[in-house]
Amino acid sequence: FALMAARFFDVQPETIVAVTGTNGKTSVVSLVRQIWTNLGRSAASMGTLGISAPDRKTVGSLTTPDPAGLHQDISNLAAEGVSHLAVEASSHGLSQYRLDGVNICAAAFTNLTRDHLDYHKSMDEYLAAKTRLFSEIMVPGGTAVLNVDASEFSALAKICLARGHKIISYGLGQGDIRCESIVATPTGFSLEINAQGARANVVLPLIGNFQILNVLCAVGLVLAGGED
């Protein structure tokens, strides 16, 4: 059904990235949208908070809408001139094939903690649902942005390499995108970020190491989407 919806609503933004994981999805897609916007791209994000686009903000009820609604929303965003879209990929949406047919060029994995076990029944089943984003949905030869500190990193990296994906790893102290220095301030952090060899000093007005990881993940997705 999702593939039929994709054929019916057949126009999509040029660059679509997706984020899965238990925590951080909403923050990451918002950060990706903000970075793209500051780079001059016409960008939008879609997920738990609904749709945030240059010309509108729509409140949603599901992290990942039903296939027809999802593909219609994506097509409408493209018609509105959105060229870059970041979407949340929930385990329910992945398990129920709602995201199939979305032309995802890069996908990220944040972390896996106990959640939604009323639906998935086991952590293995929960992880398998999230793995579909990399093993079945993202086009072969895409880019996987993976949390190197997550225990699932090695297994996901193996799956991604088998599908021909490139891998960008990120972490607080290790990975292709990492922090060389983290200094806490009264309002957040002062960071020295190393992104694939390029270094930048960043003032982050957010509290919590998990937000640093969300920023690193967002940077990885933006780079995976073709930015310098």
Side-chain angles (χ1 to χ4, degrees):
F1 179 52
L3 295 176
M4 290 170 64
R7 289 286 297 274
F8 189 82
F9 301 107
D10 60 351
V11 180
Q12 300 185 16
E14 300 166 17
T15 302
I16 303 178
V17 302
V19 186
T20 195
T22 306
N23 304 302
K25 297 187 296 297
T26 303
S27 294
V28 170
V29 298
S30 178
L31 290 164
V32 169
R33 173 179 50 79
Q34 293 175 56
I35 295 171
W36 274 335
T37 299
N38 285 328
L39 289 171
R41 312 303 180 207
S42 179
S45 57
M46 178 185 297
T48 304
L49 299 182
I51 297 173
S52 292
D55 298 321
R56 66 182 170 104
K57 181 168 286 190
T58 306
V59 177
S61 59
L62 295 173
T63 299
T64 306
D66 70 272
L70 176 69
H71 282 283
Q72 184 174 20
D73 285 339
I74 290 173
S75 181
N76 288 343
L77 287 170
E80 293 166 14
V82 169
S83 61
H84 290 63
L85 173 64
V87 300
E88 292 185 51
S90 69
S91 60
H92 288 74
L94 291 166
S95 175
Q96 297 172 12
Y97 300 89
R98 299 181 207 163
L99 282 148
D100 290 58
V102 180
N103 297 325
I104 295 168
C105 68
F109 174 83
T110 58
N111 51 63
L112 192 78
T113 59
R114 293 181 66 85
D115 200 6
H116 303 308
L117 294 185
D118 56 325
Y119 177 82
H120 295 291
K121 307 306 179 187
S122 71
M123 290 298 290
D124 287 342
E125 188 177 315
Y126 184 29
L127 177 60
K130 295 193 174 297
T131 300
R132 284 201 68 242
L133 180 59
F134 305 94
S135 62
E136 298 179 31
I137 297 175
M138 183 164 62
V139 293
T143 301
V145 180
L146 305 178
N147 182 354
V148 71
D149 295 325
S151 60
E152 298 80 14
F153 174 81
S154 295
L156 284 172
K158 184 176 181 180
I159 290 169
C160 290
L161 290 173
R163 190 156 167 87
H165 300 323
K166 298 182 287 292
I167 294 175
I168 296 176
S169 59
Y170 72 94
L172 290 181
Q174 60 178 333
D176 300 314
I177 302 173
R178 61 187 181 274
C179 287
E180 301 287 3
S181 172
I182 301 174
V183 178
T185 69
T187 57
F189 297 97
S190 176
L191 308 172
E192 182 183 352
I193 294 177
N194 183 329
Q196 298 177 316
R199 296 170 185 258
N201 293 315
V202 176
V203 174
L204 178 64
L206 297 172
I207 303 296
N209 283 358
F210 65 94
Q211 292 288 20
I212 300 176
L213 284 169
N214 289 338
V215 168
L216 299 179
C217 181
V219 170
L221 281 172
V222 170
L223 292 173
E227 302 296 341
D228 187 333

